[in-house]
Amino acid sequence: FLLNYSDKYSDEEYKKYCKIYDKILLKNKISYNISNNEHDKAKIGFLSYDLRDHSVGYFLKDFIKKLNEKNLKTIAFNLFKSNKDDLFSSDLKNSFSEWHDVSDLNDKDLCDFIYSKKIYYLIDLGGYSTGNRLQVFKNKPAPVQISWLGYCNDTHIDEIDYIIMDRNVIDEKNYVKSSKTITMPKIWNSLSKLDDVKNNELPFIKNKSFTFGCFNNFLKISGETIDMWTKILKKFNNSKLVLKNSVSADKNYKKYLIEKFKNNIDENRILILNYEKEKKKHLEHYLNIDLCLDTFPYNGVTTTFESLWMGVPVVTLKGEKFISRCGYSINKNAGLNDFIADSIEDYITIALDSITPDGLEKLKNYRKNLRSNIISSSLFDVQNFTNNFINKLNKIEN
């Protein structure tokens, strides 16, 4: 899991560690007698620790409703244990045809329960992230197993048959994969509509100084990312950088990040906001940002969708693997090719060009029009994504 956030490891090294773990799972494998005729192709199961007020939940909510409209049976296997549901989690729960809280089941009992449901497609939404149950997928209680959404890399678990991507995030030359790829025609996911937070004018007009921002998970702020940002800030003194973690973090994270910057940048130019759980308040923080800067090698995903929704473009560096091409795919689908960098030098140039008179004029226009432009794009067209998703499942051969 942590290797995804490092700029020190190659795909081959990542795969090596995955295979070591795969051998551990193999020792405890339970085999099921799968008969395709006994499993219902109209049943799709989703196993996740993040079926709640979480990025995964926001991508799923409207999508699950659309699947149900297509007469498919959506079955949630929820791994997150909570004493009470918030309004969003309750809405998500009600979106599914069936909801099962399974956090108390051990791997064998969970597999037996999933197998008893005779679902045809079982989708893992977590990969190696917190609360995963990859042993279940190693045991393979369903005919077709798919990795999607919550983990932007291959797990290299042989029993996971497919990983959902799109044509933009695949770099066939460098991507090392074990699973077959389900390649979506436009984008690999589509976000449910966000809160209608009223936008404002470009903050630079009022502040007379430029504000960069990044609300990505702080784990994604690699050494290479800090080096890029430092070069940008040093070239334009009348600017600051606002950081905000996308998840709750250890209380020492602020001190850690300031230490990373302070040898080169005055710490007063680095503003670190507290984690904000309420989605509307979180979105309102974008009202103070002129331009967002993406992380590398692990790009932002949900935060990039949110930033564009709020009329704030995101500068992203196109890499060579899934986690490093998420920003590229999002910007490509949003028609924001001018904010896609092919190199570190290009990334810095794009950021600095945005502070020129022409660049500021472009940012003003995006502030006014970007949301209305992307709301009908593939980024938020859940209906079209659902149609493409179903078509891809129908073409799977077992």
Side-chain angles (χ1 to χ4, degrees):
F1 175 76
L2 290 175
L3 291 185
N4 288 293
Y5 297 91
S6 174
D7 51 12
K8 307 297 182 186
Y9 291 87
S10 68
D11 257 9
E12 286 292 353
E13 289 172 303
Y14 167 81
K15 182 179 179 180
K16 179 184 73 174
Y17 284 104
C18 290
K19 285 302 181 183
I20 291 172
Y21 187 63
D22 185 59
K23 288 181 180 178
I24 295 172
L25 298 179
L26 183 61
K27 294 177 183 178
N28 299 308
K29 182 177 181 179
I30 304 166
S31 296
Y32 287 86
N33 184 21
I34 298 292
S35 172
N36 291 352
N37 294 331
E38 293 180 3
H39 292 258
D40 189 349
K41 285 193 173 184
K43 290 184 177 181
I44 306 175
F46 298 83
L47 178 64
S48 179
Y49 183 77
D50 299 320
L51 298 175
R52 51 194 167 97
D53 187 1
H54 181 278
S55 292
V56 167
Y58 281 94
F59 279 99
L60 278 182
K61 183 168 68 71
D62 290 351
F63 169 69
I64 295 298
K65 291 176 181 177
K66 295 297 181 184
L67 285 179
N68 292 337
E69 291 173 5
K70 299 292 185 179
N71 296 318
L72 294 171
K73 193 165 187 179
T74 54
I75 304 174
F77 300 102
N78 172 43
L79 294 169
F80 183 74
K81 191 170 186 177
S82 177
N83 293 326
K84 61 179 181 178
D85 290 337
D86 54 71
L87 289 175
F88 177 85
S89 298
S90 296
D91 188 22
L92 178 63
K93 183 175 183 177
N94 292 330
S95 298
F96 283 88
S97 307
E98 289 183 25
W99 180 280
H100 302 284
D101 293 312
V102 295
S103 60
D104 290 335
L105 298 180
N106 61 37
D107 289 336
K108 182 182 184 304
D109 290 344
L110 178 53
C111 284
D112 288 345
F113 180 63
I114 293 172
Y115 180 72
S116 72
K117 288 293 177 181
K118 299 301 180 185
I119 63 174
Y120 199 84
Y121 306 100
L122 179 62
I123 299 179
D124 174 41
L125 300 171
Y128 288 107
S129 58
T130 301
N132 78 76
R133 299 290 284 272
L134 285 173
Q135 183 69 60
V136 169
F137 288 87
K138 189 67 181 176
N139 295 350
K140 200 168 188 182
V144 177
Q145 300 194 140
I146 299 169
S147 175
W148 178 52
L149 190 57
Y151 191 73
C152 298
N153 207 343
D154 198 333
T155 59
H156 295 287
I157 303 300
D158 293 335
E159 286 75 12
I160 296 180
D161 305 292
Y162 297 93
I163 179 170
I164 296 178
M165 296 184 172
D166 65 48
R167 59 187 179 182
N168 298 310
V169 299
I170 296 174
D171 181 5
E172 293 290 355
K173 180 181 178 182
N174 296 292
Y175 186 69
V176 180
K177 59 189 176 185
S178 62
S179 303
K180 297 175 185 176
T181 299
I182 295 176
T183 307
M184 303 300 287
K186 292 184 178 179
I187 197 163
W188 83 101
N189 55 13
S190 190
L191 188 61
S192 307
K193 297 292 191 299
L194 295 169
D195 292 318
D196 188 18
V197 177
K198 189 175 180 180
N199 219 325
N200 61 342
E201 68 177 7
L202 193 69
F204 179 84
I205 297 172
K206 179 181 178 180
N207 299 334
K208 304 304 179 185
S209 62
F210 199 87
T211 306
F212 295 105
C214 180
F215 296 172
N216 293 356
N217 185 334
F218 284 164
L219 281 174
K220 295 183 178 182
I221 303 178
S222 64
E224 189 172 19
T225 298
I226 289 177
D227 288 344
M228 288 193 298
W229 292 350
T230 298
K231 289 175 181 177
I232 292 167
L233 293 172
K234 287 180 76 172
K235 284 182 176 293
F236 193 77
N237 290 326
N238 190 26
S239 65
K240 63 183 177 182
L241 174 63
V242 178
L243 303 176
K244 181 178 175 297
N245 205 21
S246 61
V247 296
S248 183
D250 183 271
K251 63 182 180 180
N252 294 315
Y253 67 86
K254 291 185 179 181
K255 180 180 177 181
Y256 169 79
L257 280 175
I258 291 296
E259 286 292 323
K260 287 287 186 180
F261 278 101
K262 78 175 188 178
N263 290 333
N264 295 294
I265 300 296
D266 185 338
E267 63 181 82
N268 292 323
R269 297 177 64 194
I270 310 296
L271 178 62
I272 301 179
L273 305 179
N274 292 325
Y275 167 69
E276 181 64 69
K277 184 175 182 180
E278 186 180 332
K279 180 64 75 172
K280 186 174 182 180
K281 289 183 178 179
H282 165 69
L283 292 174
E284 287 174 349
H285 285 292
Y286 285 100
L287 298 175
N288 301 312
I289 306 298
D290 292 300
L291 178 69
C292 275
L293 302 175
D294 204 359
T295 46
F296 189 85
Y298 204 149
N299 300 162
V301 178
T302 308
T303 50
T304 302
F305 275 83
E306 292 169 345
S307 185
L308 302 188
W309 177 264
M310 293 302 298
V312 184
V314 180
V315 182
T316 191
L317 175 60
K318 182 174 68 173
E320 297 177 342
K321 52 188 175 182
F322 193 172
I323 60 174
S324 303
R325 296 170 70 92
C326 296
Y328 167 63
S329 182
I330 297 168
N331 273 358
K332 192 86 172 173
N333 278 279
L336 295 172
N337 295 331
D338 290 348
F339 294 92
I340 298 170
D342 292 317
S343 66
I344 291 174
E345 293 74 19
D346 194 24
Y347 183 106
I348 295 170
T349 298
I350 293 171
L352 293 174
D353 282 350
S354 296
I355 308 173
T356 64
D358 286 345
L360 289 171
E361 195 61 36
K362 283 174 62 177
L363 291 181
K364 289 179 189 177
N365 290 330
Y366 281 125
R367 199 87 178 183
K368 295 176 183 177
N369 304 313
L370 188 53
R371 184 185 299 179
S372 60
N373 291 339
I374 66 169
I375 201 167
S376 59
S377 75
S378 55
L379 301 186
F380 291 94
D381 189 353
V382 180
Q383 181 65 69
N384 189 52
F385 178 83
T386 304
N387 293 339
N388 289 329
F389 180 89
I390 293 171
N391 288 338
K392 290 292 183 179
L393 290 193
N394 288 337
K395 292 178 181 178
I396 289 177
E397 297 179 3
N398 299 108

